[in-house]
Amino acid sequence: MLHKEKQIRIGLTGGIGSGKTFVGVLFSKLGIPVFNADFEAKRCMVENKILKKEIQYIFGNKVYRDGLLQNDILAEIVFNDKQKLEALNKLVHPVVKQNFENWCSVKNSQIVIKEAAILFESDSHIGLDKVICVSASENVRIGRVIKRDNISRRQIIARMERQMPQNQKEKLSDFVILNHDKELLLPQIIRIITQIG
Ligand code: ATP
């Protein structure tokens, strides 16, 4: 009788601008499916009717206009209010978690990846077999985000300060991928796949 091999679930995390998504794309090009939890959370906040109602109930009707999430308004509400941020996470994370389960069950791949910026902070690492942290120096990360999002250094540093520090993420992870000019990414990725698979 054939037994389906146990699926290995890997977390992919890292601070703002570390290159999680960039590295995730490389994994998917190597045939490993990647679930982008941050993207999924945004999608659910727009498409999941029950979740939308709950968000509106707690944060007011102003967070949606013509059915579309007003990201800037919601961000402003939760940015400096830890309790409100926690309330939002409590609504969104169970939905994303369930969607990840559904997604995994239809992926016929021995290894799957869950990419999330706040993997440890949201306890989303629980249930995963291994975690990879993508790291780069603060200056490199700031430079990338300035270029990508066209926002100020000060805004980026404010966001960084609200995230778990990179060295703490590294300590909690099983693997670290160094994503800066001096290190090639593919050999690091292949080394990890070989160790996991
Ligand atoms: P966030 O948490 O802010 O979403 P992230 O960790 O997912 O960030 P990415 O969006 O993957 O980071 O990378 C930030 C920017 O830097 C992107 O524009 C990406 O294309 C670029 N980038 C990341 N790593 C590299 C690399 N090794 N070479 C070239 N560009 C890179």
Side-chain angles (χ1 to χ4, degrees):
M1 199 169 94
L2 278 176
H3 288 277
K4 198 179 170 211
E5 274 183 286
K6 186 190 173 290
Q7 196 173 50
I8 302 168
R9 296 176 175 186
I10 309 294
L12 182 65
T13 193
I16 180 170
S18 60
K20 296 175 290 298
T21 304
F22 192 87
V23 169
V25 169
L26 295 181
F27 271 103
S28 60
K29 285 202 168 143
L30 293 170
I32 297 178
V34 179
F35 178 93
N36 185 325
D38 304 327
F39 176 81
E40 184 64 13
K42 282 181 194 138
R43 193 186 68 79
C44 291
M45 285 194 271
V46 174
E47 292 179 15
N48 185 312
K49 287 195 180 109
I50 298 171
L51 182 60
K52 268 174 95 167
K53 274 206 178 119
E54 289 171 334
I55 292 174
Q56 265 169 326
Y57 180 74
I58 293 186
F59 299 98
N61 289 333
K62 60 184 179 295
V63 295
Y64 287 93
R65 193 189 301 152
D66 300 328
L68 292 177
L69 183 69
Q70 302 303 296
N71 257 319
D72 46 344
I73 296 177
L74 187 60
E76 211 182 291
I77 296 172
V78 300
F79 195 80
N80 290 311
D81 189 329
K82 221 174 154 197
Q83 275 182 340
K84 290 217 166 109
L85 179 63
E86 270 172 26
L88 180 65
N89 287 340
K90 258 194 184 156
L91 292 178
V92 178
H93 283 144
V95 178
V96 175
K97 197 165 181 256
Q98 186 55 53
N99 289 1
F100 176 63
E101 289 299 325
N102 300 346
W103 179 88
C104 286
S105 67
V106 296
K107 290 290 164 200
N108 204 8
S109 169
Q110 200 212 339
I111 303 176
V112 294
I113 289 182
K114 182 181 200 178
E115 179 198 332
I118 54 163
L119 192 82
F120 294 117
E121 298 90 324
S122 64
D123 281 341
S124 300
H125 62 296
I126 295 168
L128 300 176
D129 298 291
K130 299 278 179 205
V131 175
I132 302 168
C133 175
V134 180
S135 290
S137 73
E138 205 169 285
N139 268 341
V140 167
R141 289 165 56 200
I142 291 171
R144 283 181 185 147
V145 179
I146 288 177
K147 213 165 145 191
R148 185 192 63 187
D149 298 342
N150 196 23
I151 56 173
S152 73
R153 172 174 285 263
R154 226 171 46 162
Q155 282 170 297
I156 300 164
I157 290 172
R159 284 187 201 175
M160 276 179 165
E161 281 170 354
R162 296 172 71 251
Q163 294 187 333
M164 181 187 281
Q166 180 169 277
N167 63 356
Q168 204 176 334
K169 281 192 172 143
E170 288 178 353
K171 276 190 201 139
L172 293 169
S173 299
D174 301 280
F175 304 99
V176 175
I177 290 181
L178 296 174
N179 181 23
H180 50 64
D181 291 345
K182 294 184 198 92
E183 304 279 339
L184 289 174
L185 287 173
L186 274 178
Q188 299 185 72
I189 289 172
I190 289 165
R191 213 176 302 134
I192 291 172
I193 296 173
T194 313
Q195 285 185 45
I196 289 170

